[in-house]
Each structure stands twice: as C-alpha cells, then as structure tokens.
Amino acid sequence: MLAAQQLAAWGWAKDNECLEAAELVVGELAANAATHGHLPGRDFLLTMTLIGCPEGRSGILRIEVADCRGERLPAPVAEPRSLGEQGRGRLLVSALASGWGVAPRPPSGKTVWAELPGPPLQQVHP
C-alpha cells in the first residue's frame, strides 16, 4: 500500500503497530469513499500529514479522504448487526484513531479525517 510506503519513508518501522493501524484506517476511509462517495468520472483524494509532536511520540498522523458526495455523511457509530456485512469500519476507525470527523469540502464534497498517534520516538528510524 502506498500509504505504508510513505510512512516507512518518514521513518516509521514497517513492523510497527502504529503503521498497521494507519494502514487499516487509510484502507477503511478509502473503501468508504470509493463505495459511498463515488461519482462517475470522479475519484477520491487521500492526504496524510504529520503534525505536532506530543511528548515521546513522533507526531500525530492526520489522514484525510475527500470525495464528491457532501450529502452522504457517515452515520454515527453504532453496534453492527452480528451477521451484517457492513458497519464495522467506523467502529474500527473509532477504536484506532484518537479522533475522527467530517468537514465540508466546497463546492459539493466532504472530507473524512482521522488522527492517530505516531510511534514512540525510539521506534522511528531516521
């Protein structure tokens, strides 16, 4: 996955649980954008940014996935039906991210974002 390659280029160890969590969140947000935010001829946009450096951590990873369907907002997180095929992604993102939300993306889209703590400094390779 390109997101994991970028995080490794930023110094995150490939076998680190922070990188694995980021991969899952990117995959879920991208899958939701492709499934629920798709319009013919339009793609979604993935952005990853490292911000801030909380004490002992390499930063906070902000993942943003923008799509063209501003009217289709994620529903609040609820317990999925036990046999249902959908509904677990938002629970996964909520469990892994320190926060997530949705922001308008004018003129007609939205950006779904999630923030995850980076790995401890001793687990980052220059």
Side-chain angles (χ1 to χ4, degrees):
M1 171 185 274
L2 290 174
Q5 290 175 356
Q6 181 60 57
L7 292 172
W10 286 344
W12 290 32
K14 291 183 180 181
D15 59 351
N16 186 284
E17 67 183 37
C18 292
L19 187 136
E20 292 171 2
E23 281 184 291
L24 289 170
V25 171
V26 166
E28 182 57 37
L29 295 183
N32 283 346
T35 302
H36 305 292
H38 176 75
L39 287 174
R42 303 240 178 136
D43 292 321
F44 62 86
L45 173 67
L46 166 67
T47 306
M48 297 190 316
T49 309
L50 278 175
I51 55 176
C53 285
E55 189 170 324
R57 292 275 179 180
S58 60
I60 296 170
L61 176 65
R62 184 174 176 97
I63 301 164
E64 297 180 344
V65 177
D67 66 49
C68 301
R69 300 291 301 265
E71 79 282 4
R72 297 196 70 184
L73 300 177
V77 175
E79 291 295 320
R81 293 179 301 221
S82 61
L83 298 176
E85 294 182 12
Q86 298 179 345
R88 290 174 176 77
R90 288 183 307 268
L91 288 173
L92 178 70
V93 171
S94 292
L96 295 173
S98 56
W100 74 275
V102 183
R105 185 171 192 254
S108 62
K110 69 178 174 300
T111 299
V112 181
W113 59 269
E115 292 183 347
L116 289 84
L121 287 174
Q122 66 270 19
Q123 294 180 9
V124 177
H125 308 290

